[in-house]
Amino acid sequence: GAGVSQSPSNKVTEKGKDVELRCDPISGHTALYWYRQRLGQGLEFLIYFQGNSAPDKSGLPSDRFSAERTGESVSTLTIQRTQQEDSAVYLCASSPLGRGRGDTQYFGPGTRLTVL
Amino acid sequence: AQSVTQPDIHITVSEGASLELRCNYSYGATPYLFWYVQSPGQGLQLLLKYFSGDTLVQGIKGFEAEFKRSQSSFNLRKPSVHWSDAAEYFCAVDGNKLVFGAGTILRVKS
């Protein structure tokens, strides 16, 4: 079956513009995660959605970052008034059950964001 | 607090040599433990995971990892490295939160 997909694969934007990144999880997966990976660094947790529960937004670095998820399907990560330090690869992952259950996460290929 | 440490940022091994990547975690109980691999330009892929029971876990691509409770470690091993194993490797801990280590970049020299 299809894996996790993300779009766009690459995004170049100017400082101060808003960007929207999309993630299509694997069908039936209740959990969805967003991570940021800066060049040469590890994964930085951003936000976690689990079914209809309130999302865990504890990793969002500022109020310029927000994310939504429609039910158990598509998620959108929005960055407002982008800054150069937002340049990174943004990774989305989904899993069948969620955190604390030993779930395997299935990662998308990522969106490479470059802020000029 | 839950944390994961991968002490080695970079490791270089010769093709055919054995490999061990270190991972130490901090958590109040026994968590679920994972190793993921990220090849250049790719997303992360699961290599193996530990749930419970046998402390030696076999994964894909000839990798294995051993859970040692007394050392709070989950080191990844491979007896003979191939050039295609060059990638970045992430250890992850799933307790009450899911936390990834900073990663270890593996270089393979011929």
Side-chain angles (χ1 to χ4, degrees):
Chain A
V4 177
S5 61
Q6 293 185 245
S7 60
S9 55
N10 278 286
K11 176 71 176 178
V12 180
T13 190
E14 292 180 350
K15 178 181 170 181
K17 295 282 178 71
D18 297 351
V19 295
E20 228 174 57
L21 312 181
R22 177 187 168 107
C23 173
D24 282 271
I26 293 173
S27 177
H29 281 191
T30 64
L32 187 145
Y33 316 72
W34 282 99
Y35 297 92
R36 179 169 68 178
Q37 187 176 27
R38 289 186 165 129
L39 187 64
Q41 299 189 20
L43 272 69
E44 178 185 0
F45 165 74
L46 296 177
I47 188 168
Y48 165 69
F49 295 92
Q50 171 61 59
N52 294 320
S53 302
D56 176 359
K57 303 180 181 181
S58 61
L60 295 178
S62 76
D63 59 8
R64 295 187 296 104
F65 288 73
S66 62
E68 292 184 350
R69 186 182 187 194
T70 308
E72 293 188 353
S73 62
V74 171
S75 176
T76 303
L77 177 69
T78 301
I79 309 174
Q80 295 178 308
R81 305 181 302 281
T82 52
Q83 304 294 312
Q84 287 181 333
E85 63 261 28
D86 299 334
S87 296
V89 175
Y90 289 82
L91 291 168
C92 174
S94 71
S95 72
L97 301 174
R99 295 190 306 204
R101 307 184 196 197
D103 241 6
T104 296
Q105 289 187 64
Y106 297 83
F107 283 81
T111 293
R112 181 175 299 277
L113 175 66
T114 303
V115 182
L116 302 176
Chain B
Q2 191 175 321
S3 67
V4 182
T5 302
Q6 292 181 247
D8 304 303
I9 299 173
H10 295 100
I11 281 189
T12 300
V13 299
S14 297
E15 191 168 14
S18 63
L19 169 71
E20 183 169 32
L21 302 183
R22 295 183 290 163
C23 173
N24 291 91
Y25 69 91
S26 173
Y27 184 62
T30 299
Y32 302 109
L33 297 159
F34 303 79
W35 276 99
Y36 286 86
V37 60
Q38 185 178 31
S39 298
Q42 309 275 322
L44 276 76
Q45 179 186 19
L46 179 73
L47 278 177
L48 48 80
K49 63 180 177 181
Y50 171 76
F51 260 178
S52 64
D54 193 348
T55 56
L56 187 62
V57 181
Q58 302 297 322
I60 62 171
K61 305 184 182 186
F63 285 90
E64 65 178 26
E66 186 172 12
F67 169 58
K68 293 186 177 179
R69 186 192 310 274
S70 61
Q71 298 176 19
S72 297
S73 69
F74 188 56
N75 294 349
L76 182 71
R77 302 194 295 246
K78 187 169 184 177
S80 176
V81 168
H82 188 262
W83 65 266
S84 60
D85 293 326
E88 188 162 15
Y89 292 80
F90 293 92
C91 180
V93 173
D94 185 10
N96 54 0
K97 285 206 161 205
L98 181 60
V99 178
F100 281 82
T104 297
I105 296 172
L106 172 65
R107 298 190 178 113
V108 180
K109 59 181 181 181
S110 55

